[in-house]
Structures are given as structure tokens and as C-alpha cells.
Amino acid sequence: MALVLAGLVLCLSGLQLILAADRASYVAAVYEHRVLLNPEPGVPLHRRPALEHMKLNLRVFEEQTALAAQQGAQIIVFPEDAIHGFNFTRSSIAGYLETVPDPQNVTWNPCADPHRFPDTEVLHSLSCMAHKNRLFLVANMPSRQSCNRTTDPRCPADGQYQFNTNVVFSDQGVIVARYHKQNLYFEAAFDAPPECEYVTFTTPFAGRFGVFTCFDILFHDPAVTLVKEMGIRQIVYPTAWMNQLPLLAAVQFQRSFSHATGVTLLAANVRAAEYGITGSGIFTPWDSLIHHNTEGNSGKLLVRRVPVLDPSFIGDDRHKLVPFSGYPSSKEPEKMHVWPTSSFKANHDGKYCQKDSECATSSTTFNSIMMYDNFTLVPLKGTEGNISICSGSVCCHLLFQRSDTHEFYALGVFNGLHVVHGTYYLEICALVKCTGEHHSSCGGETEHAQTLVDFRLAGTFTTSHVFPGILGSGMTLDVPDHSGWEGGNRFYMSRMGMNTGLVTAVLYGRHYEKDNV
């Protein structure tokens, strides 16, 4: 059965004051595009047929930009790879490449001055869309940049860099930002830039925005540097994200990133069912408007008004959120009276477990592969309980109360280097609904669950970068009632009263410093 989800998820909290009517706001749009692909991406095309192919997608961009402008949009974001497609080789993409000048050095409006640089028809088209509709426009495209191997030892053998590039146009059509993707994901056509780029641009309606692309969201640079060190609170995010449940569906992690870092994330994903690609949204730290479509070929335009979060623009940091600090409620204390016990399992000294040897886990622990990683898990028993499980210094603790026991759930932990489809170090506590009755089904992909679960999930982490996430049945997104740090290295989140069955509750820790150890 096809699943189409496009809804507004609103979390009421004490921090929702920022959404008050008297606060500055703007209208944002993202478009999930059903990209028209080159059926033979490995075969080189000359410039003219490559351009004709890209124009098919650009016509859709033009239509959607006009529709967004009619709804008052001041900025629109299009997906990664949405103009040209994917699965090219370094040589076969040559006809699609354009040179994008650095806006730090060159001020250029391609719509007003189309002949200043040769072979820039795509830039001209995008610039005119922005100018005609009087909005900022963010698009992703393939670009080239000449280099000299004599002066640049990293210069490729063919004398040019080929980049996966985001380009931002002002509402006048001027190129105001250019970003080259740092963390490539099986992209043989492209090079990573010699140095990581930290790109921002400023708008007259909302202040500063940061820019990064797809796989970048899982790494420290540029994403975490932008939000933690540069103070960016608004991100434009073209992506071509292949969904992978139970932990990394597109809208699932987009929601977690926005919530954990306290930013607005304008996420535009490609629509490509044959690759499992869908999931776009306009996310604030508290709520989201999303689209997730598992079947069908149509694109989707999302438009909504969101609060300005750039404190330098609004001149008010009273509600400024500290990235990765959590969301303790300012209205009322965490309600614990419904739990079967008032504290987590403790060792004989009454302290929280910190490692395997301090806290005995259930004799029913088992291992199962989840997201290509070997998780250690313990099953939930009964309608309420208090369980713990550890992997080295990472210990996960769960208090739960659920509506029934018909569906199989397990609490899992992983502490180690992920090495499939990317290399990065993870510390994860995850409560997952298993797809069957056997242990091996824990970690399988499902979008549906019937069991209502109230829970408090906590973990001990050696990283300060923890992304909490809650996924309900039918790809329903949720955020914790409460979350934050307690006792130094222990992060928790709690949620009560969900209206849908629980698919996944996860504390997704990224230990960036261990990625290359």
C-alpha cells in the first residue's frame, strides 16, 4: 500500500514562545523533485544533449518556483542531483559541468549578464527564476574548477576539480553563495574540495543561513562547526537521501538534527522510488512540515511560515538554544509517577551503570544486525519494565510502559566504528520494534507499529553529540517531552502519550573524533 505523508507536527513546550505572533518570521519552501534521469549516465554526452536533459528538470523548477512565490515564499530549496541525476562517472558527467565563480571574489547576476562566462546556461536559468519570482533560490548542480598540479598537489590528473555544488541566488538573481560538498557518498564523478568550506549567506528577511549537502549531516565538518562554532541557526539542505530504517530514514534524521542542534532545517530531497529516495521537510526545533512518499512519481512542494532564529537578526537571544543541550521543560517537571519504578537499574552502590561490569544485563541478551552494525539487544518483557544493556562504556537504560505485548520490541546498544557505506564512529541506544518474532528480525525495516509506548530512555556517552529521535507508525515524527544531560555523561529523553505506535526511539551518538582512529 502506498504511504503518502505530508503533515504538520507540532510539539508544545515552554520553549515554544519563539513561535509567538510578535516574533519575526518568514515563508520558506522546499520542493521534493521527481528527477528526470539520464537512462545511460555512464555514457558521455556532449554539451548540447546534456543541456537538453537538464532543461527538462529546470522547467519543473521554474513551475514550482512560481507556485512557491504565489504562496508568499521568500526562499526555496531544491534537492541534490535534481537537475542532472546521478550514477555518472568522472568522464561521463563532463557535458553537464559549469564553472561557478566564487561570489566572494566575483559579483555576478547570470540573468542580467548571461554571456560573462561561457557554458553557464543552467546558472542563467536559475538566476532568472530567482529574479522573476523575487525570492532566494538554492539549487544543486555539477561544477568544474580548473587547477594547476604544479602549484596545487591535490589537483586531479585531468587538471580540474569536479564538485557537487550548491549555488544560492538572491532575490535579484545574484549568486551570493557557493558550497562544494565535503562528504561524498559513492560519487565517482566528483572530488571533495581540498579544504572543507564553511559557507553562509545573509538574507534581508531572516539573517544568516548555512549551507551543506546530504551526507554532510552525519559529520562534524561542516555541519557541526556551522551550528556550534559559527552560531548558525538556519540551514538550507539539498539532499538525495536513500531511506534506511529503523534509524536513518531521511525525515527521521532531519527531524533529529534540527531538534538536537536547535536550528531550522530546510531539507529538499529527490523523489526516486526505485532507489528508496524520498523525505523532505521544513523543520524548526519544535515542529515540522514533512513529505514522505513510498510510491508514485509526483513531486511535492512544501511551503510554511517559520520563525527567524538568527539572534543577530532579531536582536533577542532570550530563547537561544544551545546545540546538543536537550530540552528540559520550563512549564512543569518531568512526570514520573506513571513509571513502574522511580529510577533506573543501579549497581550495589545505588549508582547508574557506567560499563559492562557494573550493571548485569539480562540473560536473554542477543545480537542482531541493524544498519550493518552488530547490535547487542535485550527484549522487552511484559507491559512495563526497567531494563539496561551495555557495550563497553556505553550503557542504555529504559523505563517503559506499553499498551500490550503482541509486538516484539528490543532495546539495543552499539558502540563502535560503522564501516559500511561510510566510516564513522557511533554510540547508539535504540528501542526498536522488530519486524517479526525472531531475534534476527530486530533491525529490520518497518514503517508500522500498533503498540503505544511511554518511555524514558537514557544512555551514558563519551561524546557530547547526541541526536534524539522518535518515529511513530506511518513515518509520524515526534520529539521528546523532555531531554538533556544528567550526571555529566548521561543523556536522556522521555515521551508519554503518543497517538501512534512506536517504531523507533533512538539516542544517536556521533563520536566524530574517533572516525579516523
Side-chain angles (χ1 to χ4, degrees), residues 302-370:
L302 301 177
V303 182
R304 69 168 295 208
R305 182 171 292 277
V306 292
V308 175
L309 295 190
D310 182 0
S312 64
F313 182 85
I314 58 179
D316 181 2
D317 62 359
R318 289 176 299 170
H319 307 297
K320 182 179 179 180
L321 301 175
V322 178
F324 304 104
S325 64
Y327 291 75
S329 174
S330 62
K331 279 190 173 182
E332 58 184 347
E334 185 179 13
K335 296 178 180 178
M336 293 298 295
H337 63 272
V338 302
W339 301 116
T341 180
S342 61
S343 64
F344 293 125
K345 183 186 296 183
N347 63 14
H348 61 277
D349 293 322
K351 299 178 181 178
Y352 286 87
C353 311
Q354 298 292 328
K355 55 187 178 181
D356 289 340
S357 60
E358 293 181 358
C359 190
T361 54
S362 169
S363 60
T364 58
T365 58
F366 62 94
N367 290 86
S368 186
I369 301 299
M370 186 187 311

Side-chain angles (χ1 to χ4, degrees), residues 30-89:
V30 302
Y31 181 64
E32 179 162 312
H33 177 51
R34 171 63 179 178
V35 59
L36 300 172
L37 297 171
N38 178 341
E40 297 183 305
V43 178
L45 288 181
H46 294 295
R47 176 63 177 174
R48 184 176 296 276
L51 188 58
E52 290 302 313
H53 170 219
M54 291 188 286
K55 285 180 177 178
L56 298 176
N57 290 302
L58 288 168
R59 291 190 189 107
V60 180
F61 279 30
E62 188 171 5
E63 295 170 358
Q64 296 302 319
T65 301
L67 289 173
Q70 291 170 15
Q71 298 178 59
Q74 294 159 282
I75 184 169
I76 186 168
V77 182
F78 288 102
E80 180 186 26
D81 298 334
I83 295 174
H84 56 286
F86 29 75
N87 292 333
F88 294 93
T89 67

Side-chain angles (χ1 to χ4, degrees), residues 337-452:
H337 63 272
V338 302
W339 301 116
T341 180
S342 61
S343 64
F344 293 125
K345 183 186 296 183
N347 63 14
H348 61 277
D349 293 322
K351 299 178 181 178
Y352 286 87
C353 311
Q354 298 292 328
K355 55 187 178 181
D356 289 340
S357 60
E358 293 181 358
C359 190
T361 54
S362 169
S363 60
T364 58
T365 58
F366 62 94
N367 290 86
S368 186
I369 301 299
M370 186 187 311
M371 312 286 295
Y372 303 104
D373 295 317
N374 188 15
F375 276 69
T376 303
L377 303 102
V378 58
L380 275 61
K381 301 291 187 182
T383 57
E384 59 183 43
N386 172 14
I387 57 177
S388 301
I389 193 164
C390 299
S391 176
S393 60
V394 179
C395 288
C396 307
H397 313 272
L398 174 70
L399 294 171
F400 71 92
Q401 192 172 59
R402 55 178 170 166
S403 57
D404 59 63
T405 61
H406 292 102
E407 293 179 313
F408 183 22
Y409 283 80
L411 173 65
V413 60
F414 179 76
N415 176 20
L417 191 66
H418 175 91
V419 295
V420 178
H421 301 160
T423 301
Y424 43 94
Y425 201 97
L426 299 172
E427 298 180 355
I428 296 178
C429 294
L431 170 60
V432 296
K433 185 235 173 182
C434 306
T435 58
E437 299 179 357
H438 301 290
H439 290 168
S440 60
S441 73
C442 297
E445 298 194 40
T446 181
E447 295 183 2
H448 303 286
Q450 297 180 342
T451 307
L452 302 178

Side-chain angles (χ1 to χ4, degrees), residues 75-370:
I75 184 169
I76 186 168
V77 182
F78 288 102
E80 180 186 26
D81 298 334
I83 295 174
H84 56 286
F86 29 75
N87 292 333
F88 294 93
T89 67
R90 184 173 184 84
S91 60
S92 69
I93 204 171
Y96 290 82
L97 302 174
E98 296 192 3
T99 299
V100 183
D102 185 354
Q104 298 296 316
N105 301 321
V106 177
T107 300
W108 181 39
N109 185 325
C111 188
D113 188 6
H115 304 298
R116 183 172 179 181
F117 298 95
D119 297 323
T120 53
E121 293 91 343
V122 172
L123 290 171
H124 173 259
S125 178
L126 294 169
S127 171
C128 290
M129 289 180 211
H131 177 263
K132 179 180 179 180
N133 295 284
R134 292 296 190 267
L135 47 63
F136 275 66
L137 185 149
V138 183
N140 176 270
M141 60 186 290
S143 74
R144 68 163 66 88
Q145 181 174 308
S146 298
C147 56
N148 188 325
R149 298 194 74 189
T150 302
T151 57
D152 180 2
R154 298 181 182 179
C155 179
D158 56 6
Q160 68 177 18
Y161 288 107
Q162 297 183 181
F163 294 127
N164 176 328
T165 305
N166 294 337
V167 186
V168 183
F169 300 85
S170 76
D171 54 4
Q172 299 300 311
V174 176
I175 297 175
V176 294
R178 180 194 71 179
Y179 168 72
H180 299 135
K181 184 179 180 182
Q182 176 67 30
N183 300 285
L184 300 175
Y185 187 82
F186 297 100
E187 299 173 62
F190 298 125
D191 304 299
E195 296 181 357
C196 187
E197 302 172 353
Y198 306 96
V199 175
T200 66
F201 63 94
T202 302
T203 68
F205 53 83
R208 293 191 304 164
F209 287 78
V211 189
F212 55 80
T213 310
C214 200
F215 204 36
D216 286 331
I217 203 169
L218 285 181
F219 295 87
H220 188 277
D221 294 308
V224 176
T225 296
L226 283 171
V227 300
K228 284 189 71 174
E229 299 179 21
M230 299 176 63
I232 299 299
R233 292 293 173 267
Q234 299 162 149
I235 301 290
V236 294
Y237 178 62
T239 184
W241 190 281
M242 290 183 285
N243 290 285
Q244 191 168 22
L245 290 165
L247 304 181
L248 285 180
V251 294
Q252 180 185 23
F253 197 75
Q254 292 163 11
R255 165 72 283 165
S256 292
F257 184 90
S258 170
H259 184 74
T261 59
V263 304
T264 292
L265 183 71
L266 307 182
N269 200 4
V270 165
R271 175 78 193 95
E274 62 271 35
Y275 295 100
I277 304 177
T278 183
S280 304
I282 300 173
F283 300 86
T284 77
W286 309 276
D287 58 24
S288 57
L289 176 66
I290 68 167
H291 177 72
H292 176 93
N293 184 357
T294 58
E295 295 181 9
N297 295 319
S298 60
K300 180 66 177 181
L301 178 68
L302 301 177
V303 182
R304 69 168 295 208
R305 182 171 292 277
V306 292
V308 175
L309 295 190
D310 182 0
S312 64
F313 182 85
I314 58 179
D316 181 2
D317 62 359
R318 289 176 299 170
H319 307 297
K320 182 179 179 180
L321 301 175
V322 178
F324 304 104
S325 64
Y327 291 75
S329 174
S330 62
K331 279 190 173 182
E332 58 184 347
E334 185 179 13
K335 296 178 180 178
M336 293 298 295
H337 63 272
V338 302
W339 301 116
T341 180
S342 61
S343 64
F344 293 125
K345 183 186 296 183
N347 63 14
H348 61 277
D349 293 322
K351 299 178 181 178
Y352 286 87
C353 311
Q354 298 292 328
K355 55 187 178 181
D356 289 340
S357 60
E358 293 181 358
C359 190
T361 54
S362 169
S363 60
T364 58
T365 58
F366 62 94
N367 290 86
S368 186
I369 301 299
M370 186 187 311

